[in-house]
Amino acid sequence: MPTSGGHRGQARQTFPTTVDVTDLERLTAREREVLHALAHGETNRVLARRFGIAERTVKAHITSVVRKLELSSRIEATLVSLHHQDRLNSCDHPSLGAPESIAS
């Protein structure tokens, strides 16, 4: 396991922060929205209220994002979100290439 800083003798796990752009394009518009929102550190309940969907649906979207991007956890998805904020921001605006309809 790669190490970077930290205490002597302790290994730190590194997480993937980049994914192939074509993998991001495989996400639905709603999955991209949820992925983008993960960067703000909000709970599933807050995300559900923001998007007007059930908390269970938020969990399903996060699970789908993690699976499609071949990640291991929500934390990794959050790191990917932080790394790809510019690309995900452009998905919020139909004129910049986001699908016009949002499937939930």
Side-chain angles (χ1 to χ4, degrees):
M1 188 178 310
T3 60
S4 61
H7 300 298
R8 190 178 325 172
Q10 289 184 341
R12 278 196 163 168
Q13 182 176 358
T14 58
F15 296 100
T17 57
T18 60
V19 295
D20 191 79
V21 174
T22 57
D23 289 335
L24 287 176
E25 292 170 355
R26 287 182 21 218
L27 300 176
T28 66
R30 180 64 87 184
E31 289 167 347
R32 287 191 302 266
E33 286 180 319
V34 170
L35 178 60
H36 180 260
L38 286 178
H40 301 288
E42 296 171 337
T43 65
N44 290 348
R45 179 172 291 164
V46 171
L47 293 177
R49 287 183 186 148
R50 176 194 290 189
F51 294 124
I53 59 178
E55 191 172 346
R56 179 181 290 196
T57 305
V58 171
K59 290 178 186 179
H61 287 312
I62 293 170
T63 298
S64 182
V65 166
V66 167
R67 181 181 42 80
K68 286 181 179 180
L69 299 182
E70 298 180 4
L71 302 172
S72 299
S73 67
R74 177 191 179 114
I75 293 171
E76 287 184 7
T78 301
L79 293 173
V80 167
S81 176
L82 289 166
H83 186 79
H84 290 283
Q85 280 295 295
D86 291 339
R87 179 141 186 86
L88 294 169
N89 278 336
S90 70
C91 293
D92 291 339
H93 307 287
S95 63
L96 297 175
E100 299 205 13
S101 65
I102 297 176
S104 54

